[in-house]
Amino acid sequence: MGGTERMNHEKTHENELVCSGHYACQGCGAVIAMRHALAALGPRTIVVLPACCWSVIAGPYPYSALRVPVFHTAFETGGSTASGVRAALEMQGKSDINVLAWAGDGGTFDIGLQSLSGAVERNEDIIYTCYDNEAYMNTGIQQSSATPARAWTTTSPEAHPKDTQKKNIVQILAGHKIPYVATTSIGFPDDLIAKFEKAKSIRGTKFLHVLAPCPSGWKYSSQLSVRLARLATHCKVFPIYEVFDGETYVINVEPEGRPVKEYLSLQGRFSHLTPRQIDEIQARVDYDWEHLLHKAMLEKFEFE
């Protein structure tokens, strides 16, 4: 394990490709994530945006908050559209342009999973990023399969909270045995930038799962976005790690082991929880962390 918590300001501002004056909410984690990602990838990048918050944030044609080409596409087509853009570039002999599919959790965990799985199964040379704010935030905070158990949303209100666990999208993508799968977070910008730089250097499909807190959907003050993202990792709710070829797990940030209550108590979406329910969430988080540790200790499988 290794800590990567210090922000690399110089690298971020050298390659600023997100303009001010965009349409995001104050404190939006998805914008912070995009800034760092494009700082790492550089101007020779095409961004594919299926329906998500970023479809709004980027702005309508002919205006755009991004200083790179943008392809807006349908909700379920992030993987297939990015595949098509890559194929077109190859036909033109342009191999030095990054193709970045940038989708929310609804467009990845749910509606776009089929086209993502198809692209991944073909090992398309794309970088697929899911910025995860754990609900359909741009259409009214409806529950997605990335929503944690017991969280408030407009379709899982306090009286009828979500009764299933968050889908493990990393495990699904790692199961496709693609070259690179990683989690990262706006709470650890150096780690985020380093992983996009690594993804840029790898041939084949790269999948990055980025935790992007949402002030309006999670119900917290906008200045807490980065703090919450860091707490998610230090409370073991969102571990930071990589999976190579679906086999080798590497944990990148060692959690401080803080109680999960510290993370939950800052968010209005969990304000209805009873002490017993918080204990249940803590038990689940501890179990999942031990499971991840076990995977990280396994030796890489080698063919004879």
Side-chain angles (χ1 to χ4, degrees):
M1 299 181 190
T4 54
E5 301 182 7
R6 184 178 60 81
M7 184 173 176
N8 189 335
H9 297 275
E10 185 178 355
K11 186 172 291 184
T12 300
H13 293 293
E14 274 180 358
N15 302 303
E16 183 60 75
L17 296 172
V18 178
C19 302
S20 59
H22 51 67
Y23 290 100
C25 303
Q26 192 174 43
C28 173
V31 171
I32 300 172
M34 179 70 91
R35 284 188 66 203
H36 294 318
L38 289 182
L41 297 178
R44 293 189 68 76
T45 301
I46 296 174
V47 178
V48 173
L49 291 176
C52 62
C53 292
W54 254 102
S55 301
V56 178
I57 295 169
Y61 180 82
Y63 307 105
S64 176
L66 298 178
R67 293 193 172 103
V68 294
V70 175
F71 194 136
H72 289 279
T73 188
F75 219 144
E76 70 278 18
T77 63
S80 55
T81 302
S83 301
V85 171
R86 170 55 69 199
L89 291 171
E90 289 180 357
M91 288 290 290
Q92 298 174 61
K94 297 177 179 177
S95 59
D96 62 337
I97 298 176
N98 305 303
V99 178
L100 173 66
W102 187 268
D105 49 287
T108 303
F109 286 61
D110 299 337
I111 298 172
L113 186 59
Q114 183 183 29
S115 73
L116 170 60
S117 180
V120 167
E121 195 277 334
R122 298 188 300 272
N123 198 23
E124 300 281 1
D125 188 20
I126 62 173
I127 301 170
Y128 189 105
T129 299
C130 173
Y131 67 92
D132 182 5
N133 51 29
E134 301 188 325
Y136 290 84
M137 297 306 186
N138 68 323
T139 54
I141 319 176
Q142 298 92 349
Q143 169 189 313
S144 78
S145 58
T147 301
R150 304 290 184 185
W152 174 93
T153 69
T154 53
T155 51
S156 59
E158 292 180 18
H160 303 283
K162 186 183 180 191
D163 57 3
T164 56
Q165 298 295 320
K166 179 174 181 172
K167 185 186 288 183
N168 191 332
I169 194 71
V170 173
Q171 188 171 329
I172 292 171
L173 271 295
H176 287 71
K177 309 296 183 186
I178 56 175
Y180 189 62
V181 178
T183 67
T184 187
S185 157
I186 64 165
F188 301 90
D190 277 359
D191 177 85
L192 193 154
I193 290 171
K195 283 176 176 168
F196 274 90
E197 288 177 339
K198 183 180 291 185
K200 181 180 175 181
S201 70
I202 296 172
R203 181 82 174 170
T205 307
K206 292 76 61 175
F207 178 85
L208 285 95
H209 182 198
V210 183
L211 184 66
C214 172
S216 57
W218 295 15
K219 300 184 180 301
Y220 66 85
S221 297
S222 58
Q223 74 272 19
L224 296 178
S225 293
V226 171
R227 181 181 172 188
L228 272 171
R230 293 172 67 84
L231 270 176
T233 296
H234 286 311
C235 296
K236 303 176 183 175
V237 173
F238 192 88
I240 303 293
Y241 63 102
E242 299 168 298
V243 188
F244 297 91
D245 301 315
E247 302 283 353
T248 305
Y249 285 69
V250 178
I251 299 174
N252 308 113
V253 177
E254 183 172 4
E256 294 174 355
R258 296 185 188 180
V260 72
K261 182 180 179 180
E262 207 173 318
Y263 172 68
L264 302 177
S265 63
L266 292 177
Q267 305 171 60
R269 63 176 177 157
F270 293 117
S271 61
H272 57 282
L273 296 183
T274 65
R276 179 179 177 182
Q277 289 171 330
I278 293 175
D279 289 343
E280 289 173 352
I281 293 173
Q282 181 71 65
R284 182 75 214 186
V285 165
D286 291 341
Y287 175 82
D288 288 345
W289 172 250
E290 291 297 321
H291 197 208
L292 177 61
L293 276 180
H294 180 70
K295 287 182 177 177
M297 289 187 288
L298 291 174
E299 293 186 5
K300 182 180 179 181
F301 178 82
E302 300 282 1
F303 287 103
E304 294 291 337

XYZ file of all heavy atoms in Angstrom, residues 141-217:
586
model
N -32.601 12.483 -8.482
C -32.101 11.680 -7.348
C -32.874 10.370 -7.191
O -33.344 10.010 -6.111
C -32.114 12.480 -6.016
C -31.641 13.913 -6.236
C -31.241 11.807 -4.968
C -31.727 14.789 -5.001
N -33.059 9.650 -8.318
C -33.676 8.336 -8.212
C -32.603 7.278 -7.909
O -31.456 7.410 -8.299
C -34.400 7.958 -9.522
C -35.533 8.889 -9.894
C -35.097 10.023 -10.798
O -33.903 10.242 -10.996
N -36.058 10.743 -11.349
N -33.004 6.221 -7.249
C -32.097 5.122 -6.894
C -31.507 4.466 -8.144
O -32.183 4.249 -9.136
C -32.889 4.091 -6.103
C -32.187 2.766 -5.881
C -33.143 1.741 -5.278
O -33.857 2.052 -4.322
N -33.172 0.537 -5.830
N -30.212 4.170 -8.089
C -29.569 3.335 -9.113
C -29.029 2.098 -8.408
O -29.096 1.985 -7.181
C -28.422 4.094 -9.801
O -27.257 4.107 -8.981
N -28.461 1.176 -9.188
C -27.885 -0.002 -8.524
C -26.545 0.321 -7.885
O -25.928 -0.536 -7.251
C -27.753 -1.168 -9.500
O -26.963 -0.815 -10.612
N -26.085 1.570 -8.023
C -24.902 2.029 -7.290
C -25.272 2.675 -5.961
O -24.388 2.998 -5.162
C -24.113 3.024 -8.136
N -26.544 2.882 -5.723
C -26.980 3.497 -4.461
C -26.715 2.539 -3.304
O -27.085 1.359 -3.371
C -28.479 3.830 -4.529
O -28.719 4.717 -5.626
C -28.938 4.492 -3.247
N -26.083 3.025 -2.233
C -25.824 2.139 -1.093
C -27.127 1.734 -0.388
O -28.125 2.453 -0.439
C -24.961 2.998 -0.156
C -24.530 4.174 -0.955
C -25.543 4.371 -2.034
N -27.093 0.598 0.253
C -28.238 0.151 1.042
C -28.565 1.193 2.104
O -27.675 1.793 2.697
C -27.932 -1.189 1.702
N -29.847 1.447 2.300
C -30.390 2.333 3.336
C -30.304 3.812 2.987
O -30.732 4.653 3.778
C -29.701 2.114 4.686
C -29.745 0.694 5.204
C -31.146 0.317 5.633
N -31.200 -1.019 6.235
C -32.329 -1.615 6.596
N -33.471 -0.995 6.423
N -32.320 -2.816 7.116
N -29.715 4.173 1.823
C -29.599 5.594 1.472
C -30.948 6.142 1.023
O -31.722 5.454 0.349
C -28.568 5.777 0.361
N -31.199 7.397 1.377
C -32.413 8.060 0.911
C -32.256 8.463 -0.552
O -31.213 8.999 -0.956
C -32.662 9.335 1.733
C -33.818 10.157 1.224
C -35.099 10.090 1.646
C -33.790 11.147 0.187
N -35.889 10.973 0.952
C -35.111 11.637 0.037
C -32.792 11.657 -0.645
C -35.448 12.624 -0.891
C -33.135 12.629 -1.576
C -34.439 13.109 -1.690
N -33.280 8.184 -1.352
C -33.432 8.779 -2.684
C -34.918 9.035 -2.868
O -35.742 8.605 -2.044
C -32.933 7.864 -3.827
O -33.817 6.745 -3.940
C -31.508 7.391 -3.602
N -35.296 9.696 -3.969
C -36.719 9.961 -4.182
C -37.501 8.685 -4.467
O -38.727 8.659 -4.310
C -36.907 10.949 -5.346
O -36.205 10.462 -6.494
C -36.380 12.322 -4.983
N -36.830 7.630 -4.914
C -37.513 6.354 -5.148
C -37.201 5.326 -4.067
O -37.663 4.189 -4.151
C -37.126 5.784 -6.532
O -35.695 5.769 -6.647
C -37.713 6.623 -7.649
N -36.417 5.698 -3.083
C -36.199 4.851 -1.903
C -36.253 5.761 -0.663
O -35.242 5.982 -0.002
C -34.853 4.105 -1.986
O -33.768 5.027 -2.094
N -37.445 6.298 -0.385
C -37.589 7.250 0.721
C -37.382 6.578 2.077
O -37.257 5.352 2.157
C -39.023 7.751 0.548
C -39.727 6.664 -0.176
C -38.715 6.049 -1.078
N -37.352 7.380 3.099
C -37.009 6.880 4.434
C -37.886 5.704 4.870
O -37.398 4.766 5.495
C -37.154 8.019 5.446
C -36.120 9.119 5.281
C -36.311 10.220 6.295
O -36.994 9.999 7.310
O -35.762 11.317 6.076
N -39.153 5.757 4.516
C -40.062 4.691 4.947
C -39.836 3.391 4.182
O -40.212 2.304 4.651
C -41.506 5.153 4.770
N -39.211 3.499 3.017
C -38.970 2.303 2.190
C -37.566 2.381 1.596
O -37.396 2.486 0.376
C -40.013 2.207 1.077
C -41.424 2.172 1.567
N -41.997 1.044 2.111
C -42.370 3.149 1.640
C -43.245 1.311 2.474
N -43.490 2.585 2.202
N -36.527 2.346 2.418
C -35.154 2.508 1.913
C -34.726 1.316 1.063
O -35.333 0.244 1.114
C -34.338 2.580 3.201
C -35.141 1.833 4.200
C -36.571 2.093 3.860
N -33.690 1.534 0.289
C -33.167 0.458 -0.547
C -32.747 -0.711 0.340
O -32.033 -0.523 1.337
C -31.970 0.971 -1.350
C -31.442 -0.032 -2.372
C -30.206 0.495 -3.096
C -29.711 -0.539 -4.102
N -28.391 -0.200 -4.651
N -33.173 -1.903 -0.025
C -32.889 -3.055 0.824
C -31.869 -4.011 0.213
O -31.731 -5.154 0.657
C -34.181 -3.805 1.167
C -34.930 -4.257 -0.080
O -34.415 -4.035 -1.203
O -36.025 -4.824 0.057
N -31.159 -3.556 -0.835
C -30.102 -4.384 -1.426
C -28.786 -3.626 -1.396
O -28.765 -2.399 -1.310
C -30.441 -4.756 -2.884
O -30.662 -3.558 -3.636
C -31.676 -5.633 -2.944
N -27.684 -4.370 -1.500
C -26.360 -3.768 -1.461
C -26.010 -3.119 -2.801
O -26.579 -3.446 -3.839
C -25.298 -4.828 -1.132
C -25.484 -5.477 0.228
C -25.315 -4.489 1.373
O -24.442 -3.623 1.342
N -26.166 -4.612 2.387
N -25.052 -2.223 -2.769
C -24.547 -1.592 -3.985
C -23.896 -2.640 -4.889
O -23.139 -3.499 -4.419
C -23.518 -0.516 -3.601
C -22.881 0.210 -4.762
C -22.001 1.352 -4.264
C -21.365 2.108 -5.427
N -20.664 3.336 -4.975
N -24.191 -2.563 -6.180
C -23.601 -3.505 -7.130
C -22.079 -3.339 -7.168
O -21.579 -2.207 -7.174
C -24.189 -3.248 -8.520
C -23.756 -4.236 -9.597
C -24.276 -3.804 -10.967
C -25.754 -3.991 -11.096
N -26.246 -3.627 -12.472
N -21.352 -4.431 -7.221
C -19.893 -4.373 -7.272
C -19.446 -4.305 -8.727
O -19.145 -5.311 -9.360
C -19.278 -5.593 -6.580
C -17.770 -5.436 -6.380
O -17.106 -4.745 -7.146
N -17.246 -6.068 -5.349
N -19.409 -3.085 -9.268
C -19.095 -2.911 -10.688
C -17.632 -3.266 -10.989
O -17.314 -3.753 -12.087
C -19.407 -1.462 -11.132
C -19.409 -1.349 -12.653
C -18.437 -0.465 -10.517
C -20.579 -2.022 -13.314
N -16.749 -3.051 -10.037
C -15.339 -3.385 -10.264
C -15.175 -4.896 -10.444
O -14.434 -5.362 -11.316
C -14.468 -2.869 -9.107
C -13.032 -3.366 -9.249
C -14.489 -1.351 -9.073
N -15.893 -5.652 -9.624
C -15.811 -7.106 -9.750
C -16.346 -7.574 -11.104
O -15.801 -8.497 -11.711
C -16.601 -7.756 -8.615
C -16.427 -9.259 -8.535
C -17.055 -9.831 -7.272
O -17.103 -9.156 -6.251
N -17.520 -11.055 -7.341
N -17.404 -6.909 -11.577
C -17.969 -7.265 -12.887
C -16.960 -6.984 -14.003
O -16.736 -7.813 -14.887
C -19.271 -6.477 -13.126
C -20.363 -6.950 -12.173
C -19.738 -6.609 -14.578
C -21.610 -6.091 -12.185
N -16.331 -5.818 -13.956
C -15.370 -5.465 -15.011
C -14.108 -6.311 -14.901
O -13.549 -6.750 -15.914
C -15.032 -3.982 -14.941
C -15.946 -3.048 -15.764
C -15.782 -3.347 -17.246
C -17.417 -3.154 -15.376
N -13.652 -6.555 -13.689
C -12.470 -7.412 -13.517
C -12.757 -8.814 -14.046
O -11.862 -9.484 -14.561
C -12.069 -7.462 -12.043
N -14.010 -9.228 -13.942
C -14.390 -10.547 -14.455
C -14.255 -10.666 -15.960
O -14.185 -11.778 -16.492
N -14.185 -9.538 -16.669
C -13.969 -9.554 -18.115
C -12.486 -9.736 -18.458
O -12.132 -9.852 -19.638
C -14.458 -8.251 -18.755
C -15.951 -8.123 -18.822
N -16.748 -7.914 -17.709
C -16.815 -8.159 -19.879
C -18.020 -7.824 -18.091
N -18.084 -7.973 -19.399
N -11.612 -9.708 -17.455
C -10.155 -9.917 -17.636
C -9.523 -8.870 -18.553
O -8.636 -9.184 -19.362
C -9.867 -11.328 -18.184
C -10.529 -12.449 -17.407
C -10.027 -12.556 -15.989
C -10.643 -13.732 -15.262
N -10.284 -13.777 -13.807
N -9.981 -7.643 -18.466
C -9.369 -6.578 -19.265
C -8.061 -6.131 -18.617
O -7.786 -6.436 -17.451
C -10.326 -5.381 -19.432
C -10.787 -4.860 -18.057
C -11.487 -5.758 -20.318
C -11.636 -3.614 -18.144
N -7.221 -5.387 -19.374
C -5.884 -5.065 -18.841
C -5.901 -4.275 -17.544
O -5.032 -4.486 -16.675
C -5.249 -4.236 -19.969
C -5.978 -4.627 -21.200
C -7.378 -4.936 -20.763
N -6.854 -3.340 -17.397
C -6.733 -2.428 -16.253
C -8.095 -1.990 -15.743
O -8.923 -1.464 -16.491
C -5.936 -1.192 -16.677
C -5.550 -0.271 -15.543
C -4.732 -0.698 -14.498
C -6.012 1.048 -15.505
C -4.371 0.155 -13.467
C -5.652 1.908 -14.471
C -4.830 1.450 -13.457
O -4.473 2.298 -12.431
N -8.324 -2.206 -14.465
C -9.509 -1.720 -13.755
C -9.009 -1.051 -12.488
O -8.108 -1.569 -11.817
C -10.473 -2.877 -13.394
C -11.676 -2.345 -12.610
C -10.932 -3.610 -14.639
N -9.566 0.112 -12.146
C -9.094 0.795 -10.947
C -10.207 1.623 -10.326
O -11.104 2.097 -11.018
C -7.896 1.695 -11.279
N -10.130 1.780 -9.017
C -10.979 2.746 -8.326
C -10.117 3.945 -7.969
O -8.913 3.825 -7.739
C -11.582 2.166 -7.043
O -10.539 1.930 -6.083
C -12.300 0.857 -7.318
N -10.732 5.105 -7.926
C -10.028 6.299 -7.498
C -11.086 7.302 -7.039
O -12.281 7.003 -7.059
C -9.121 6.855 -8.602
O -8.328 7.930 -8.077
C -9.930 7.339 -9.793
N -10.640 8.484 -6.601
C -11.562 9.385 -5.922
C -11.051 10.808 -6.014
O -9.845 11.049 -6.069
C -11.665 8.929 -4.459
O -12.090 9.980 -3.628
N -11.999 11.764 -5.966
C -11.580 13.167 -5.948
C -10.894 13.522 -4.633
O -10.280 14.567 -4.518
C -12.770 14.118 -6.187
C -13.794 14.011 -5.047
C -13.421 13.862 -7.536
C -14.800 15.142 -5.022
N -10.988 12.659 -3.648
C -10.311 12.902 -2.377
C -8.820 12.662 -2.444
O -8.069 13.066 -1.544
N -8.364 11.994 -3.509
C -6.941 11.656 -3.664
C -6.511 12.023 -5.091
O -6.338 11.150 -5.944
C -6.720 10.168 -3.375
C -7.149 9.760 -2.000
C -8.440 9.335 -1.765
C -6.257 9.841 -0.928
C -8.854 8.987 -0.483
C -6.655 9.500 0.360
C -7.959 9.076 0.578
N -6.371 13.318 -5.364
C -6.155 13.764 -6.748
C -4.876 13.225 -7.378
O -4.858 12.952 -8.580
C -6.131 15.288 -6.633
C -5.925 15.582 -5.199
C -6.512 14.452 -4.432
N -3.808 13.085 -6.606
C -2.586 12.536 -7.199
C -2.802 11.106 -7.673
O -2.292 10.695 -8.724
C -1.435 12.589 -6.196
C -0.768 13.956 -6.171
O -1.190 14.835 -6.949
O 0.188 14.136 -5.399
N -3.543 10.342 -6.875
C -3.860 8.966 -7.276
C -4.714 8.975 -8.532
O -4.473 8.195 -9.466
C -4.610 8.281 -6.129
C -5.050 6.868 -6.486
O -4.221 5.945 -6.328
O -6.202 6.689 -6.934
N -5.695 9.869 -8.585
C -6.594 9.942 -9.745
C -5.808 10.292 -11.014
O -5.946 9.637 -12.051
C -7.684 10.974 -9.473
C -8.898 10.999 -10.408
C -10.111 11.579 -9.691
C -8.640 11.789 -11.678
N -4.961 11.303 -10.923
C -4.177 11.724 -12.095
C -3.236 10.611 -12.530
O -3.116 10.297 -13.724
C -3.400 13.012 -11.763
C -4.374 14.186 -11.618
C -2.367 13.324 -12.848
C -3.751 15.453 -11.072
N -2.584 9.976 -11.561
C -1.627 8.906 -11.898
C -2.336 7.743 -12.593
O -1.785 7.137 -13.527
C -0.928 8.425 -10.628
N -3.560 7.444 -12.188
C -4.264 6.311 -12.799
C -4.731 6.628 -14.216
O -4.744 5.757 -15.083
C -5.420 5.873 -11.894
C -4.911 5.074 -10.696
C -5.971 4.696 -9.715
C -5.338 3.820 -8.629
N -6.222 3.624 -7.461
N -5.113 7.871 -14.481
C -5.467 8.224 -15.862
C -4.212 8.239 -16.740
O -4.269 7.856 -17.909
C -6.197 9.567 -15.906
C -7.677 9.420 -15.679
C -8.197 9.482 -14.402
C -8.535 9.171 -16.736
C -9.560 9.329 -14.173
C -9.898 9.008 -16.526
C -10.415 9.089 -15.245
N -3.096 8.670 -16.183
C -1.853 8.613 -16.964
C -1.479 7.158 -17.263
O -1.024 6.830 -18.362
C -0.733 9.309 -16.194
C -0.883 10.836 -16.164
C 0.180 11.527 -15.331
O 0.779 10.843 -14.467
O 0.405 12.736 -15.527
N -1.677 6.298 -16.295
C -1.387 4.874 -16.515
C -2.344 4.291 -17.559
O -1.920 3.540 -18.466
C -1.514 4.109 -15.201
C -1.152 2.632 -15.307
C -1.285 1.924 -13.968
C -0.241 2.382 -12.982
N -0.274 1.613 -11.709
N -3.636 4.644 -17.443
C -4.618 4.142 -18.401
C -4.271 4.569 -19.828
O -4.434 3.810 -20.784
C -6.008 4.652 -18.018
N -3.779 5.782 -19.955
C -3.385 6.306 -21.269
C -2.278 5.476 -21.907
O -2.198 5.351 -23.141
C -2.911 7.751 -21.075
C -2.481 8.499 -22.292
C -2.047 9.908 -21.879
C -1.474 10.691 -23.035
N -1.045 12.050 -22.595
N -1.444 4.877 -21.083
C -0.278 4.157 -21.598
C -0.558 2.687 -21.894
O 0.300 1.988 -22.438
C 0.865 4.256 -20.583
O 0.572 3.481 -19.424
N -1.739 2.198 -21.528
C -2.062 0.780 -21.673
C -2.930 0.571 -22.910
O -3.895 1.294 -23.131
C -2.788 0.260 -20.414
C -1.866 0.347 -19.190
C -3.270 -1.174 -20.615
C -2.556 0.037 -17.876
N -2.634 -0.428 -23.693
C -3.419 -0.781 -24.876
C -4.574 -1.701 -24.459
O -4.368 -2.646 -23.690
C -2.525 -1.509 -25.883
C -3.207 -1.905 -27.179
C -3.277 -0.768 -28.147
N -3.811 -1.200 -29.441
C -4.151 -0.355 -30.398
N -4.001 0.938 -30.221
N -4.640 -0.810 -31.540
N -5.774 -1.447 -24.965
C -6.936 -2.266 -24.609
C -7.894 -1.459 -23.741
O -7.762 -0.242 -23.597
N -8.862 -2.136 -23.157
C -9.880 -1.432 -22.375
C -9.397 -1.146 -20.963
O -8.860 -2.016 -20.282
C -11.171 -2.263 -22.292
O -11.583 -2.631 -23.598
C -12.275 -1.454 -21.630
N -9.598 0.096 -20.571
C -9.304 0.518 -19.205
C -10.601 1.012 -18.580
O -11.319 1.783 -19.199
C -8.262 1.658 -19.186
C -6.874 1.242 -19.628
C -6.683 1.056 -21.104
C -6.923 2.311 -21.913
N -6.609 2.114 -23.368
N -10.880 0.590 -17.360
C -12.100 1.014 -16.667
C -11.721 1.671 -15.345
O -11.046 1.055 -14.514
C -13.018 -0.169 -16.400
C -14.270 0.210 -15.654
C -15.392 0.688 -16.333
C -14.339 0.099 -14.273
C -16.544 1.050 -15.647
C -15.496 0.461 -13.575
C -16.600 0.935 -14.270
N -12.150 2.925 -15.159
C -11.868 3.632 -13.913
C -13.173 3.997 -13.217
O -14.054 4.604 -13.828
C -11.027 4.894 -14.163
C -9.560 4.585 -14.464
C -9.324 4.531 -15.958
C -8.645 5.607 -13.833
N -13.252 3.621 -11.977
C -14.432 3.877 -11.148
C -14.076 4.995 -10.170
O -13.270 4.805 -9.266
C -14.801 2.590 -10.387
C -16.025 2.708 -9.544
N -16.302 1.817 -8.525
C -17.048 3.594 -9.556
C -17.438 2.174 -7.948
N -17.914 3.231 -8.549
N -14.686 6.181 -10.379
C -14.319 7.372 -9.612
C -15.461 7.762 -8.668
O -16.588 8.001 -9.129
C -14.022 8.560 -10.554
C -13.561 9.766 -9.749
C -12.975 8.173 -11.595
N -15.184 7.836 -7.385
C -16.195 8.308 -6.448
C -16.308 9.824 -6.563
O -15.327 10.550 -6.393
C -15.833 7.927 -5.011
C -16.908 8.297 -3.978
C -18.180 7.475 -4.203
C -16.396 8.089 -2.554
N -17.523 10.304 -6.846
C -17.760 11.735 -7.080
C -18.956 12.194 -6.243
O -20.098 12.167 -6.705
C -18.013 11.985 -8.568
N -18.733 12.611 -5.000
C -19.843 13.027 -4.132
C -20.696 14.123 -4.760
O -20.205 14.967 -5.523
C -19.129 13.534 -2.874
C -17.845 12.767 -2.835
C -17.439 12.643 -4.282
N -21.994 14.110 -4.403
C -22.981 15.028 -4.980
C -23.667 15.795 -3.851
O -24.443 15.211 -3.084
C -24.003 14.217 -5.777
S -25.422 15.172 -6.356
N -23.409 17.105 -3.701
C -23.991 17.862 -2.586
C -25.516 17.804 -2.532
O -26.092 17.626 -1.461
C -23.498 19.293 -2.841
C -22.256 19.140 -3.642
C -22.498 17.941 -4.512
N -26.180 17.956 -3.675
C -27.646 17.996 -3.643
C -28.248 16.617 -3.397
O -29.239 16.483 -2.671
C -28.179 18.577 -4.953
O -27.714 17.826 -6.057
N -27.667 15.582 -3.968
C -28.224 14.238 -3.806
C -27.868 13.594 -2.477
O -28.652 12.816 -1.920
